[in-house]
Amino acid sequence: AQSVTQPDIHITVSEGASLELRCNYSYGATPYLFWYVQSPGQGLQLLLKYFSGDTLVQGIKGFEAEFKRSQSSFNLRKPSVHWSDAAEYFCAVGEDNNDMRFGAGTRLTVKP
Amino acid sequence: EAGVAQSPRYKIIEKRQSVAFWCNPISGHATLYWYQQILGQGPKLLIQFQNNGVVDDSQLPKDRFSAERLKGVDSTLKIQPAKLEDSAVYLCASSLGPSGGELFFGEGSRLTVL
């Protein structure tokens, strides 16, 4: 059965520092992989999506993610974090928009 | 363009009572989803509609949860009777279709069962 693991429940980084959020997945076929962000009191917003092609995917707000099939990973990165990036980040796997399974999320705190 | 609208935003009920949540998707979006997000967990798909037909309800606790999308637009999710473990945020999302494009989520309806 498909599943998603986000090993880090909470991460704190300083503003301007780089960020990497980890995501590991288990899926029988070739999955679609997603990263969503959820700010307090708001709905989830799609940051980026991967299915095939270049394994480095660019998203909105300066985020990127790299698909590594050998490691079953899809880690999210940002070179320089802004205070407005503080939020909950969710990795998800699915068959495109169907049967999407979310990880438990990583809460990002940004220190000034 | 208006986003996905949900109501009510907050609801507090006692166990064994019933509750209903309403969702109005983005205009023209054929696919509608209801997710349950328990505190500290990621969203879990409850049911997916394509127009007014159910595509996937495998994770919907059908003994107490029901959902409908009669005219292929608005949708209602009902819980009857509610249990303490139903306390969660209920998220509605919509997309143009089941393939391609993006899911757009509403702000959610937070349910507290006492």
Side-chain angles (χ1 to χ4, degrees):
Chain A
Q2 54 264 40
S3 65
V4 178
T5 302
Q6 294 181 247
D8 305 304
I9 295 173
H10 184 205
I11 283 182
T12 299
V13 300
S14 297
E15 190 168 16
S18 64
L19 170 70
E20 182 168 25
L21 302 181
R22 297 183 290 164
C23 172
N24 293 96
Y25 69 91
S26 172
Y27 199 79
T30 303
Y32 284 76
L33 294 159
F34 309 82
W35 275 100
Y36 282 84
V37 61
Q38 187 176 37
S39 298
Q42 298 186 20
L44 283 84
Q45 181 183 22
L46 179 67
L47 286 175
L48 46 80
K49 172 180 177 178
Y50 173 80
F51 174 62
S52 65
D54 191 346
T55 56
L56 187 62
V57 184
Q58 301 298 321
I60 62 171
K61 304 184 179 186
F63 285 92
E64 66 179 26
E66 185 172 14
F67 171 63
K68 293 185 177 179
R69 185 185 301 275
S70 61
Q71 299 177 19
S72 297
S73 69
F74 188 58
N75 294 349
L76 183 71
R77 301 195 295 246
K78 186 169 185 178
S80 177
V81 169
H82 188 262
W83 64 266
S84 60
D85 293 325
E88 188 94 19
Y89 291 81
F90 292 93
C91 181
V93 62
E95 187 180 329
D96 206 342
N97 292 333
N98 303 302
D99 196 23
M100 199 178 296
R101 305 294 173 109
F102 285 81
T106 297
R107 183 160 62 93
L108 173 65
T109 298
V110 181
K111 293 191 301 184
Chain B
E1 178 182 270
V4 176
Q6 291 188 245
S7 68
R9 289 294 311 278
Y10 305 92
K11 188 74 175 179
I12 300 174
I13 62 173
E14 299 200 346
K15 59 183 179 183
R16 291 187 289 273
Q17 288 186 322
S18 63
V19 63
F21 301 111
W22 173 82
C23 173
N24 182 237
I26 292 173
S27 178
H29 280 196
T31 312
L32 185 147
Y33 313 76
W34 282 102
Y35 283 84
Q36 179 193 56
Q37 186 176 17
I38 294 173
L39 187 65
Q41 299 181 20
K44 182 182 84 171
L45 179 67
L46 292 176
I47 188 166
Q48 176 181 340
F49 292 96
Q50 181 67 20
N51 296 310
N52 61 350
V54 175
V55 173
D56 182 357
D57 64 356
S58 58
Q59 300 188 90
L60 186 74
K62 298 180 185 65
D63 57 334
R64 298 182 300 105
F65 286 65
S66 65
E68 59 184 12
R69 194 185 184 200
L70 292 176
K71 296 182 180 179
V73 181
D74 294 8
S75 178
T76 302
L77 175 70
K78 296 179 181 177
I79 308 174
Q80 182 179 14
K83 293 185 174 181
L84 296 177
E85 59 261 36
D86 298 332
S87 294
V89 176
Y90 290 87
L91 298 168
C92 180
S94 70
S95 63
L96 281 171
S99 298
E102 177 180 342
L103 256 67
F104 292 87
F105 283 83
E107 294 180 349
S109 295
R110 182 178 297 276
L111 173 65
T112 301
V113 182
L114 304 176

